[in-house]
Amino acid sequence: MSETIKKTSAYVWFDAEFTSLELDQARLLQVAVIVTDHQLNRIHPEEADLNLCIKLADGEPVSDWVEENLSGLVAQCRSDEAVTLEEADQQITALLDQYCGTPCNEMADRPVLAGNSVHNDWFLMRKFLPQFGSRLHYRLLDVSTIKILWQDWVGQAPFDKESVEQLNQYFPGGGISSANAHDALFDIKASIAELNFYRSKLNLK
């Protein structure tokens, strides 16, 4: 008699934009969250997706690259629409508590953090969003790992995140109007689409 394999309870797709790529000095500028099941379908309605700008004090430094390339985001973080780290932590944990049944006593029941190069986001999440971190499994689902194996073992070009047509083909429900790299909410939608692309090409169901 074969053993029944327990599926992961949920994937918590998370992406963040930082003040600097030097993670030891970096602070969060933007965080976004979408929660899916293991089939990559949203567990919550689209309007519950989180996309939060984190309050940045006047004069608080950002890297030259961020100042040049994410000036609009930096301005939002210095506006009244931005939230504190504590408020962001509360909103994310409320989403998980409602749709993932967290907190979970058993590690095996906890949802898994997912994204592209998600170890970077995990590092700052653990530092600045402790309630969120306490609700997650210790494992990470990193789409970048599958991208590397797809290129190295399958020998084909990776998913094109700049193709809106391809994004909508593989993101469940579609609805992506434009490619917008370095926006946290777009980046997690692109990561979900990318994983779904590899899944379909490899016939993994």
Side-chain angles (χ1 to χ4, degrees):
M1 183 175 178
S2 61
E3 181 183 356
T4 300
I5 302 299
K6 185 173 183 177
K7 305 288 187 180
T8 302
S9 62
Y11 299 156
V12 180
W13 294 88
F14 178 71
D15 190 80
E17 298 298 331
F18 322 137
T19 57
S20 169
L21 291 179
E22 299 296 331
L23 294 185
D24 288 336
Q25 290 82 43
R27 292 181 59 82
L28 294 172
L29 284 173
Q30 181 192 18
V31 295
V33 179
I34 295 176
V35 183
T36 74
D37 60 20
H38 64 272
Q39 298 291 336
L40 306 182
N41 297 305
R42 273 192 184 89
I43 290 176
H44 53 77
E46 183 176 358
E47 55 267 25
D49 294 353
L50 288 180
N51 186 19
L52 305 172
C53 295
I54 307 300
K55 195 174 292 295
L56 188 67
D58 289 339
E60 188 168 352
V62 300
S63 72
D64 292 342
W65 187 93
V66 168
E67 193 68 66
E68 179 180 350
N69 294 278
L70 301 180
S71 58
L73 175 59
V74 171
Q76 286 180 286
C77 292
R78 288 182 170 142
S79 73
D80 291 339
E81 69 180 271
V83 301
T84 65
L85 286 166
E86 292 75 17
E87 290 169 333
D89 202 12
Q90 290 169 7
Q91 289 192 46
I92 297 170
T93 54
L95 182 72
L96 267 60
D97 291 353
Q98 181 175 358
Y99 292 103
C100 299
T102 55
C104 306
N105 291 327
E106 295 294 329
M107 182 66 70
D109 295 330
R110 296 181 186 180
V112 168
L113 194 72
N116 253 301
S117 299
V118 73
H119 57 280
N120 289 323
D121 309 281
W122 177 87
F123 179 87
L124 291 182
M125 175 271 293
R126 294 273 296 179
K127 185 175 181 179
F128 294 114
L129 305 171
Q131 292 184 69
F132 177 26
S134 71
R135 283 158 168 76
L136 297 170
H137 201 286
Y138 63 85
R139 291 174 178 160
L140 301 176
L141 173 56
D142 195 336
V143 181
S144 298
T145 300
I146 302 172
K147 185 203 312 278
I148 292 169
L149 299 180
W150 175 258
Q151 292 176 267
D152 292 348
W153 292 357
V154 181
Q156 295 190 27
F159 181 77
D160 183 4
K161 292 183 179 180
E162 296 184 1
S163 169
V164 175
E165 179 181 357
Q166 196 170 50
L167 286 164
N168 283 308
Q169 181 181 354
Y170 290 101
F171 180 68
I176 298 174
S177 59
S178 62
N180 187 16
H182 304 300
D183 172 78
L185 185 59
F186 168 79
D187 285 344
I188 53 176
K189 289 180 179 180
S191 293
I192 294 168
E194 183 175 10
L195 182 58
N196 204 25
F197 168 83
Y198 300 134
R199 177 172 173 258
S200 65
K201 296 297 183 183
L202 295 170
N203 295 315
L204 301 175
K205 301 297 182 184

